[in-house]
Amino acid sequence: MVADLTSRRGVPDATVARLPEYLRALTALTERGVTSVSSEELAAAAGVSSAKLRKDLSHLGSYGVRGVGYDVEHLAYEIARELGLTQDWPVVIVGMGNLGRALADYSGFIKGGFRVVGLLDRDPALVGQDIAGLAVRHMDDLAAVASEHSVSIGVIATPAASAQDVCDALVDTGIRAVLNFAPCMLSVPDGVDTRRVDLSTELQILAFHSQRRMLDVAAEGVAGDEAAASAPTPVGAAR
Amino acid sequence: MVADLTSRRGVPDATVARLPEYLRALTALTERGVTSVSSEELAAAAGVSSAKLRKDLSHLGSYGVRGVGYDVEHLAYEIARELGLTQDWPVVIVGMGNLGRALADYSGFIKGGFRVVGLLDRDPALVGQDIAGLAVRHMDDLAAVASEHSVSIGVIATPAASAQDVCDALVDTGIRAVLNFAPCMLSVPDGVDTRRVDLSTELQILAFHSQRRMLDVAAEGVAGDEAAASAPTPVGAAR
DNA sequence: GTGACTTTGTGCATTTGTTCACGAGCGCGT
DNA sequence: ACGCGCTCGTGAACAAATGCACAAAGTCAC
């Protein structure tokens, strides 16, 4: 019994991070009417190796059939269950600037159990305005909104300067999961989970790889000059 | 010489992913007038352990002073250089829906060498409109915009359905780095780097952890009932 | 029912990343 | 000049994640 729990806890973080992608791929297959899929095909659709996919799925249980593959619908259900998408996750979004608006609209696309139940902002000019079918409410109403809908996830779409204050307020209402779009670290008490999404971080990582590629090519060119006589085509693109 | 190149290449991916956060923390310190910082302090500001921070920084070189710490300004410069932020990275954003608009505005906040030089959309109604001081141009002008400004990074903020087409077009213009906000996998030729940012994926990961926490607490409660007589306070919050 | 074929699930080796612990080097007070 | 305390840089131990290869377990044809 406790062993069951331990095995459930045993899903590695790296695997969890890929499950949403698998689920998306499976959903796409369902829409195309495909009912069965091999690890090879699904892995290709999700952009991973088939070995990795099989190992990931093996952490959830044995939902495949040897010699056949996976039942698309059933596997999708099991992944959704593992991710907790079979239950309801009421969400509030704080900060109704451009980003908050985009998120409020975009969230309509989400198939899972996420439901935006509150849009909040500190600016009185925005309060009352209708966005994506929901009236914006003032930050002071946070506690009311949160308890009214048993909100479990908070999304921060404010400037960095107010992010920590907003986060503290969210945590005070009992929210234990925070998605932070502000470009700053949040400090939270133990037991609260935060994830950060940041455009600038991603661009910087892309820039690093781009720069490295440029340096590599340049260095390769030099090396190629030296070795040109012996090896006309030194290397293919690595990685 | 080749060894130099190898050592440069040797910066681990996990480290690269953390460099932007270090840089941000350093920038914040600069703004507060702090000129010197220890690994312990900087690690706390960036939300990592000091050992990890020191190992990460050691991959870039020896920029610290033993017994003293790091010079904030100098370290920031070295990280920025490593990330490629000392050069110019012209960016185009494709898709001027709510998200694209938010990105176009937000990008003004970016301190690094990123410069939005083009906003594109397929919808004629949006073309010509002014967003964040830039006129939206039609997708057909992509090649012109790209060559005119030597664009090196493309950002996709379109619906999933058109993301792959847009990506192909970006790659055709010679762009080798793509940041994808559409909820789908992109297939690209070798030598092209893509990163995906997705609200729904992040929410699902948060949901997983929330659910696990709930299950753990429930199970702990049961275990606690069993063990209650012997251990009134079974455990503190783990992790 | 049997054999050939297919595809999963998994043990093992390898690579990658993290933590620990401590030696090396620097500034400072005396 | 010299020891003392502080903090970086790093090798070695440890942990996590990945890739490989194959046995186990199923379907299908006949």
Side-chain angles (χ1 to χ4, degrees), chain A residues 145-189:
Chain A
V145 174
S147 71
E148 188 182 333
H149 295 93
S150 311
V151 170
S152 49
I153 299 179
V155 176
I156 300 180
T158 67
S162 20
Q164 183 65 58
D165 288 346
V166 169
C167 178
D168 293 345
L170 289 171
V171 170
D172 279 349
T173 70
I175 288 173
R176 297 281 183 83
V178 175
L179 184 54
N180 177 26
F181 284 86
C184 65
M185 268 286 305
L186 294 177
S187 67
V188 291

Side-chain angles (χ1 to χ4, degrees), chain B residues 7 19 24 26 31 40 59 62 66 73 75 85 88 92 120 141 144 148-149 157 168 188 197-198 200 223-224 235 238:
Chain B
S7 74
L19 290 181
R24 189 187 324 279
L26 287 167
E31 279 166 11
E40 202 70 50
H59 288 118
S62 279
R66 293 162 198 249
E73 199 172 342
L75 183 57
L85 305 186
D88 194 49
V92 288
L120 301 161
D141 293 350
E148 187 182 334
H149 296 93
D168 292 345
V188 291
V197 175
D198 182 27
S200 149
V235 284

Side-chain angles (χ1 to χ4, degrees), chain B residues 9 24 36 38 46 79 81 96 101 134 154 161 165-166 168 188 214 218-219 221 237:
Chain B
R9 158 175 302 188
R24 189 187 324 279
S36 178
S38 73
I79 292 180
R81 194 169 57 83
M96 282 297 114
R101 245 168 267 230
L134 230 57
D165 288 347
V166 169
D168 292 345
V188 291
M214 288 164 67

Side-chain angles (χ1 to χ4, degrees), chain B residues 23-178:
Chain B
L23 184 55
R24 189 187 324 279
L26 287 167
T27 306
L29 288 172
T30 302
E31 279 166 11
R32 282 171 37 204
V34 180
T35 61
S36 178
V37 69
S38 73
S39 64
E40 202 70 50
E41 295 163 326
L42 184 55
V48 300
S49 75
S50 66
K52 200 187 281 190
L53 174 83
R54 286 202 302 277
K55 180 146 298 225
D56 282 344
L57 295 184
S58 77
H59 288 118
L60 315 189
S62 279
Y63 301 123
V65 179
R66 293 162 198 249
V68 179
Y70 300 90
D71 180 78
V72 173
E73 199 172 342
H74 182 227
L75 183 57
Y77 170 75
E78 291 295 344
I79 292 180
R81 194 169 57 83
E82 188 70 30
L83 285 171
L85 305 186
T86 51
Q87 42 184 298
D88 194 49
W89 297 101
V91 174
V92 288
I93 302 177
V94 182
M96 282 297 114
N98 280 297
L99 180 58
R101 245 168 267 230
L103 295 176
D105 279 343
Y106 174 78
S107 58
F109 278 77
I110 300 171
K111 297 294 199 318
F114 303 102
R115 200 161 43 91
V116 178
V117 298
L119 304 176
L120 301 161
D121 203 292
R122 165 186 287 171
D123 181 358
L126 290 173
V127 174
Q129 198 172 319
D130 188 281
I131 297 179
L134 230 57
V136 177
R137 300 181 64 173
H138 192 272
M139 261 308 278
D140 295 345
D141 293 350
L142 172 60
V145 174
S147 70
E148 187 182 334
H149 296 93
S150 312
V151 170
S152 49
I153 299 179
V155 176
I156 300 179
T158 67
S162 22
Q164 183 64 59
D165 288 347
V166 169
C167 178
D168 292 345
L170 290 171
V171 171
D172 278 349
T173 70
I175 289 173
R176 297 280 183 82
V178 175

Side-chain angles (χ1 to χ4, degrees), chain A residues 90-114:
Chain A
V91 175
V92 287
I93 303 177
V94 182
M96 281 296 114
N98 281 294
L99 181 59
R101 246 169 266 229
L103 294 176
D105 279 343
Y106 174 78
S107 58
F109 279 74
I110 300 171
K111 297 294 199 319
F114 303 101

